Amino acid sequence: MDKLKQMESFVSVALRGSLTAAAQAEGVAPAIMGRRLDGLEARLGVKLLVRTTRRISLTHEGSAFLEDCQRLLADFANAEASVSAGGVKASGHLRITAPAGFGRRHVAPLVPRFRELHGEVTISLNLSDRVVDLAGEGQDCAVRVGDMPDSSLVSVRLADNRRLCVASPKYLRQHGTPLHPSDLSRFDCLTLSSEASQTRGWAFRVPKNGTTEVWHLKPGGPLDCSDGQVLHDWCLAGYGIAWRSTWEVEAEVAAGRLVAVLEDFAAPPNGIYAVFPQRKHLPLRLRLWIDFLKHHYAQPGFWRAQ
C-alpha cells in the first residue's frame, strides 16, 4: 500500500506541477508528499522529478514512469469498481475537456447531473478551444466536434453535427433569401477571420449530372471575427448570414429567432465524439460518462432545449 500511495503522490505532483497543490488536493502537509517522492526515488534508484523553488518538472525517466503509473492506477481503480456494489458503483476522479463554446452549452450542464447519479465521482472540466494533449495533460476524455484526424486516440461517435446557413428574420426581410449557394456573393456573410478554423470555407452539397458534389465556398462580407460566439450574436442581431453548427443554433431556429436557409444544399454531417487515449481497461466512471453523453445527445429535444 505504501508503494501505491507513493505512485499516487507522484502522479498528482507530476500532473499539477506543484508539490503544494498536490498536497492541498489530498489534504496533507507538503512535507508528507515530499517524503513519499523521496522514498519512491530512493526505492527505484532513479531521479523522477527536478524540484526547484519555482516549479517541478519531469526527468526523461519520470515522463516514462508517469505513463506507466497512470495506467496501473487506472487498472487498480477499475478492479475495485468491478467488485464494488455489484460492479455498478463508479468512483474516483474524472478529467474532461471540451471546446469552450460547445462545452459551455452541452457538456457543463450535464456534469452535475452525472454526479447526482454517481456521487463518489469527482469531476474536473477543462474548456479550451485548443486541441488538448490528453495523455500529456492527464485528461481522461475529450469531447470534440468535427471530422476526426487519424491518430492513436480512440473515438466514439456521440451524435451527428450538421452545419446550417442561418439568418435573422429581420435580415431576410430587408435583404431577401438566397436560393442557391452561389447567391451568397450578394449577401452579407459573417465569417471566421483568417487565423481561425474553417480554412476550406463553407461546405454545400450541390446536384450535378445526376449526382451531388460538395462545394467549398469562401463568402465575404463587411464583418468577420475569430470568435464563433460573436458571429452567432451578430447573426441574431440581423447583421448577416452565418454558417453555424446545429448544436449552436437549433434552439434559436426552433424558437424562430433564426431561420435556416439553403437547407436543400446542406453538406453531409460530421460528428461529435468522445475521445480517449486507449480502449482497454477504461475506468467504470469513464465508461458511464460516455454512455451518459450518448444517451442525452440521442434525445430528439436535447439540442433545442439548450
Side-chain angles (χ1 to χ4, degrees):
M1 187 56 66
D2 288 341
K3 292 181 179 180
L4 181 64
K5 183 58 69 176
Q6 287 176 344
M7 290 172 59
E8 290 176 337
S9 299
F10 166 68
V11 170
S12 181
V13 171
L15 295 180
R16 289 179 169 85
S18 166
L19 191 147
T20 301
Q24 290 176 342
E26 192 170 333
V28 300
I32 293 177
M33 298 294 284
R35 285 197 294 271
R36 290 174 185 170
L37 296 178
D38 291 340
L40 177 62
E41 290 178 332
R43 181 166 56 83
L44 297 176
V46 66
K47 195 71 172 175
L48 300 173
L49 297 164
V50 177
R51 284 176 268 175
T52 68
T53 55
R54 290 182 174 271
R55 62 191 298 269
I56 290 178
S57 59
L58 289 165
T59 64
H60 176 74
E61 293 80 6
S63 295
F65 190 58
L66 174 62
E67 185 176 340
D68 289 337
C69 284
Q70 288 177 301
R71 184 181 67 254
L72 290 170
L73 291 173
D75 289 347
F76 182 77
N78 202 36
E80 284 190 323
S82 67
V83 297
S84 174
V88 295
K89 186 178 181 182
S91 61
H93 193 60
L94 186 61
R95 298 172 180 85
I96 306 161
T97 182
F102 183 88
R104 281 191 295 267
R105 285 175 177 245
H106 302 304
V107 179
L110 294 179
V111 168
R113 291 157 68 177
F114 181 78
R115 274 218 73 239
E116 289 174 359
L117 298 175
H118 308 286
E120 294 190 24
V121 176
T122 57
I123 301 174
S124 295
L125 176 61
N126 170 33
L127 299 183
S128 174
D129 286 326
R130 67 182 177 86
V131 178
V132 173
D133 178 358
L134 299 187
E137 299 181 42
Q139 298 292 319
D140 299 305
C141 177
V143 179
R144 292 180 179 166
V145 181
D147 297 321
M148 287 292 101
D150 293 335
S151 75
S152 60
L153 299 175
V154 181
S155 61
V156 173
R157 194 178 183 105
L158 302 173
D160 287 341
N161 174 60
R162 292 192 304 128
R163 305 300 295 266
L164 295 175
C165 277
V166 292
S168 70
K170 172 186 173 182
Y171 180 84
L172 296 177
R173 284 195 302 269
Q174 292 177 344
H175 301 275
T177 301
L179 302 178
H180 189 274
S182 59
D183 295 339
L184 289 173
S185 61
R186 299 186 288 103
F187 291 83
D188 300 319
C189 293
L190 305 171
T191 61
L192 284 172
S193 53
S194 57
E195 67 267 20
S197 56
Q198 290 184 10
T199 55
R200 298 181 66 189
W202 299 9
F204 298 94
R205 186 163 45 190
V206 178
K208 183 177 182 179
N209 300 327
T211 62
T212 59
E213 62 180 27
V214 176
W215 281 14
H216 289 93
L217 303 179
K218 292 189 176 181
L223 299 173
D224 65 64
C225 183
S226 62
D227 189 290
Q229 182 59 48
V230 172
L231 296 182
H232 181 80
D233 295 340
W234 284 349
C235 189
L236 281 169
Y239 292 117
I241 297 174
W243 191 60
R244 310 306 300 157
S245 291
T246 48
W247 65 259
E248 184 177 15
V249 300
E250 191 159 344
E252 282 88 354
V253 171
R257 293 189 294 273
L258 289 175
V259 177
V261 298
L262 300 175
E263 284 193 277
D264 291 341
F265 302 94
N270 52 28
I272 299 169
Y273 296 87
V275 181
F276 42 96
Q278 60 181 5
R279 186 178 298 277
K280 290 184 178 180
H281 310 303
L282 285 184
L284 179 61
R285 59 184 176 274
L286 179 52
R287 297 202 305 269
L288 292 174
W289 168 248
I290 294 170
D291 290 342
F292 184 78
L293 289 180
K294 288 178 67 175
H295 170 75
H296 281 83
Y297 289 174
Q299 301 304 309
F302 175 82
W303 305 103
R304 296 187 178 187
Q306 302 301 305

